[in-house]
């Protein structure tokens, strides 16, 4: 199963570095960091063969990987667009207009919550408090936060995405 | 100007880097501490009266003194940087701008506790911050403040940063440990407490980022001096992350002797409410603590001014008071809808429940559904009582305090803003286009404003 799936050598080295942070026999502790690496390297989501590969790398059973991957919201269990727009909608962001931001994105990209746009570029993932409440409304895009959003700023970000001119990592 | 201990150098350009941090007195507390005996440092921390800054306010020195020390078993310090409580973003600020303050605090604390490998568990979404922390760790190592035989003392320390996967529950300390061990974030039954059986069944202390950072000034000025700052059992300084309808959202360090009114309205802090709007309500300590209307926020039920400290905020208990919590200060102006705000919090807790306990798993779902119904103008009067009933059945009946944390905001919203819930029920259409306005008891303006 895992013949075709393999980390790039740099990532594999990273995996070994992570495992070395823990005592002998506690390599399972590396699971969440390694899943982050895997999601990044294998198209932004965790397909079953990818999770099986991670299990093999860490010498744990596949089910141990599945139960963790499905528990944490950052792991995508189905394919996503190139740009995953994670827009916070919890209280403090709501007070500053996150509902309008979400509505605008839904309409503009013609997508539902959790859905991906027809061109496969964007996935909209409403999020719960991301720790940027003072800089609301906000969204996470890849590694970074985009804060103090306005409709205009969102449009700008979407344009930059389309041009492939936005930093994700 | 209030006394600043943690953020006193935050404005200095380049303070993120070792060289600048060191030039401004950085790592001098660590040098001092490494010449002391661990017991002496523990005494200083106890004397300081420092209370855990993660939300519960448990005395840090006392927590440290519970750490078991069985022969031959390694011990660990784990820093809780999961920071996911709505309204809270202070630890992020410390880590982004003053990473060395955290590393220095970890060095002193790890030495005191006898940990040779310490971890920072950071919420996964703060995905650019591990780079900052790891860079700081490398710098400290290169300067001899981490690694083997630190400053020739024979003491070794490695610090690692671990990202979570996006789950509020992993801020609860036993869920955090489960997650750090590579499992789902299901809180453990206590006892055993982490101090006896924590990470990999080894004795472990879990502390908040701000608590550990505060150890640096405690050693710098001494526990007794630290204890003189603040008032009563609210010693030292506290970081408050302020958000919502205020002119100057951000992270502020306060010395816990200022009034809530000063904090909201003075230019040194929140700078008042935008557009001359009136204050309606506030959740002063993160989403889990009770919301209070303006009048009870600014004054206690006895008409005394309310202060920004643990005791004063809690004055009156849950009937008329609230809590300091994590210091996530959320302000609602007169145009905000308490029903809608409470609904978003209920959705949050429902989303974040780990699902182990029936009252929490089911109760949070019910509360969210009912609140959504009321918010959309589809609620009935009985629904308000049902909500009250459900939150009471969750409180105290769960493995971890997330259940309580989900129940309290709903209880407080109904306790203080019942009128507004009833108005939604009685005005199903109007409530979709208009807000109830300011609560009666917050200000003597009419219950239904036409703004
Ligand atoms: C649901 C839940 C979430 C929590 N989230 C956090 C958190 O994000 N950060 C934190 O420091 N403590 C959090 N806590 C409190 C921790 O369990 C623990 O008390 C704290 O990390 C201890 O550190 P302190 O004594 O320095 O405050 C949370 C508790 C619960 C019940
Ligand atoms: S109270 Fe909720 S979050 Fe805590 S253990 Fe029970 S189900 Fe999980
Ligand atoms: S509520 Fe949106 S970042 Fe906290």
């Amino acid at each position: 199963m895992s013949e075709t799936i393999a980390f790039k050598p740099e990532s594999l080295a990273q995996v070994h570095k992570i495992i070395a942070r823990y005592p002998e026999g506690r390599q399972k502790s590396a699971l969440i960091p390694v899943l982050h690496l895997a999601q990044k390297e294998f198209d932004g989501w965790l397909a079953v063969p990818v999770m099986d590969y991670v299990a093999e790398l860490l010498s744990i059973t596949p089910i141990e990987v599945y139960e963790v991957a499905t528990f944490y919201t950052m792991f995508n269990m189905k394919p996503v667009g190139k740009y995953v727009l994670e827009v916070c909608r919890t209280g403090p962001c709501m007070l500053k207009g996150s509902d309008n931001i979400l509505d605008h994105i839904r309409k503009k990209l013609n997508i539902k919550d959790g859905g991906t746009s027809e061109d496969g570029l964007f996935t909209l993932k409403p999020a719960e408090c991301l720790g940027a409440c003072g800089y609301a409304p906000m969204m996470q895009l890849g590694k970074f936060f985009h804060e103090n959003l306005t409709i205009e700023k969102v449009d700008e970000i979407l344009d930059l995405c389309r041009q492939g001119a936005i930093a994700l990592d | 100007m209030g006394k600043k201990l943690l953020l006193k150098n935050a404005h200095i350009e380049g303070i993120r880097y070792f060289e600048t941090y060191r030039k401004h007195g950085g790592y001098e507390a660590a040098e001092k501490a490494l010449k002391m005996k661990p017991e002496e440092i523990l005494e200083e921390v106890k004397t300081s009266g420092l209370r855990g800054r993660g939300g519960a306010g448990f005395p840090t020195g006392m927590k440290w003194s519970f750490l078991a020390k069985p022969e031959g078993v390694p011990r660990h310090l784990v820093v809780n940087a999961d920071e996911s409580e709505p309204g809270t973003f202070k630890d992020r600020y410390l880590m982004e701008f003053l990473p060395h303050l955290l590393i220095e605090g970890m060095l002193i604390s790890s030495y005191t506790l006898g940990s040779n490998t310490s971890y920072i568990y950071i919420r996964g979404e703060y995905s650019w911050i591990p780079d900052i922390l790891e860079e700081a760790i490398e710098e400290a190592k290169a300067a001899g403040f981490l690694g083997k035989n630190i400053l020739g003392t024979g003491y070794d320390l490695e610090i690692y940063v671990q990202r979570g996967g996006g789950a509020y529950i992993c801020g609860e300390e036993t869920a955090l440990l489960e997650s750090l061990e590579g499992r789902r974030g299901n809180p453990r039954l206590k006892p055993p407490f982490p101090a006896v059986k924590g990470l990999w069944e080894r004795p472990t202390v879990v502390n908040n980022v701000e608590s550990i950072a505060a150890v640096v000034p405690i050693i710098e000025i001494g526990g007794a001096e630290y204890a003189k700052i603040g008032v009563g059992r609210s010693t030292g300084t506290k970081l408050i992350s302020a958000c919502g309808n205020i002119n100057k959202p951000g992270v502020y360090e306060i010395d816990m002797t200022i009034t809530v009114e000063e904090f909201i309205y003075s230019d040194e802090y929140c700078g008042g409410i935008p557009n001359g709007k009136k204050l309606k309500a506030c959740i002063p300590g993160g989403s889990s603590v009770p919301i209070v209307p303006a009048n009870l926020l600014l004054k206690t039920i006895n008409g005394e001014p309310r202060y920004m400290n643990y005791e004063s905020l809690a004055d009156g208990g849950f009937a008329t008071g609230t809590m300091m919590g994590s210091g996530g200060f959320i302000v609602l102006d007169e145009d905000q809808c308490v029903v809608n705000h409470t609904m978003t919090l209920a959705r949050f807790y429902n989303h974040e429940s780990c699902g182990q306990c029936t009252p929490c798993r089911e109760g949070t779902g019910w509360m969210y559904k009912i609140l959504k119904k009321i918010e959309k103008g589809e609620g009935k009067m009985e629904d308000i009582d049902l909500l009250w009933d459900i939150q009471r059945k969750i409180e105290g009946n769960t493995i971890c305090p997330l259940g309580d944390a989900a129940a309290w905001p709903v209880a407080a919203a109904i306790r203080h803003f019942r009128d507004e819930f009833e108005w939604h029920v009685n005005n199903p259409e109007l409530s979709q286009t208009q807000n109830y306005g300011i609560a009666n008891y917050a200000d003597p303006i009419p219950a239904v404003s036409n703004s």
Side-chain angles (χ1 to χ4, degrees), chain A residues 20-44:
Chain A
R21 296 171 184 168
Y22 315 105
E24 224 16 73
R26 299 294 185 176
Q27 77 285 354
K28 184 174 173 177
S29 285
L31 181 52
I32 294 171
V34 172
L35 286 176
H36 278 301
L37 277 176
Q39 175 157 298
K40 200 169 113 189
E41 190 150 328
F42 305 111
D43 301 322

Side-chain angles (χ1 to χ4, degrees), chain A:
Chain A
M1 199 186 288
S2 55
E3 292 90 66
T4 50
I5 292 167
F7 273 127
K8 288 186 286 218
E10 311 90 89
S11 312
L12 204 56
Q14 186 68 21
V15 170
H16 291 297
K17 224 173 116 187
I18 295 169
I19 293 174
R21 296 171 184 168
Y22 315 105
E24 224 16 73
R26 299 294 185 176
Q27 77 285 354
K28 184 174 173 177
S29 285
L31 181 52
I32 294 171
V34 172
L35 286 176
H36 278 301
L37 277 176
Q39 175 157 298
K40 200 169 113 189
E41 190 150 328
F42 305 111
D43 301 322
W45 71 293
L46 296 172
V48 170
V50 170
M51 291 193 281
D52 292 348
Y53 171 64
V54 168
E56 202 182 296
L57 273 181
L58 297 180
S59 316
I60 55 179
T61 59
I63 183 75
E64 290 175 278
V65 179
Y66 306 159
E67 63 179 14
V68 164
T70 52
F71 184 84
Y72 295 93
T73 50
M74 291 184 79
F75 299 124
N76 299 316
M77 291 293 112
K78 55 178 203 221
V80 291
K82 180 164 180 209
Y83 302 99
V84 183
L85 311 169
E86 297 177 63
V87 183
C88 175
R89 57 175 177 175
T90 313
C93 277
M94 184 279 286
L95 295 175
K96 300 302 283 289
S98 59
D99 289 348
N100 295 340
I101 301 285
L102 275 161
D103 267 342
H104 178 72
I105 297 176
R106 288 183 194 115
K107 279 201 199 97
K108 180 151 182 170
L109 300 176
N110 191 23
I111 41 178
K112 290 205 183 72
D113 295 354
T116 298
S117 60
E118 227 160 69
D119 56 11
L121 269 186
F122 299 101
T123 297
L124 176 61
K125 220 172 143 183
E128 302 297 344
C129 185
L130 296 175
C133 329
Y135 325 108
M138 64 79 66
M139 69 161 122
Q140 177 153 30
L141 184 50
K143 191 170 178 176
F144 304 107
F145 284 6
H146 296 264
E147 302 174 328
N148 298 308
L149 292 178
T150 56
I151 301 286
E152 295 73 40
K153 263 198 193 173
V154 169
D155 285 342
E156 232 171 84
I157 291 168
L158 296 180
D159 284 343
L160 286 172
C161 289
R162 286 210 178 85
Q163 295 158 19
I166 202 148
L168 290 182
D169 185 43

Side-chain angles (χ1 to χ4, degrees), chain B residues 52-55 58 63 80 82-84 168-169 171-173 206-208 211 401-402:
Chain B
R53 304 298 196 221
F58 192 81
K63 181 184 240 177
N80 188 342
D82 192 59
E83 186 155 77
S84 312
Y168 167 68
I169 191 58
E172 194 280 331
E173 57 185 11
V206 180
N207 269 131
N208 175 257
S211 312
L402 185 137

Side-chain angles (χ1 to χ4, degrees), chain B residues 169 186-187 352-358 360-361 398-403:
Chain B
I169 191 58
N186 288 345
E352 304 299 338
S353 166
C354 84
Q356 282 191 107
C357 322
T358 312
C360 172
R361 182 187 62 238
T398 56
I399 294 177
C400 92
L402 185 137

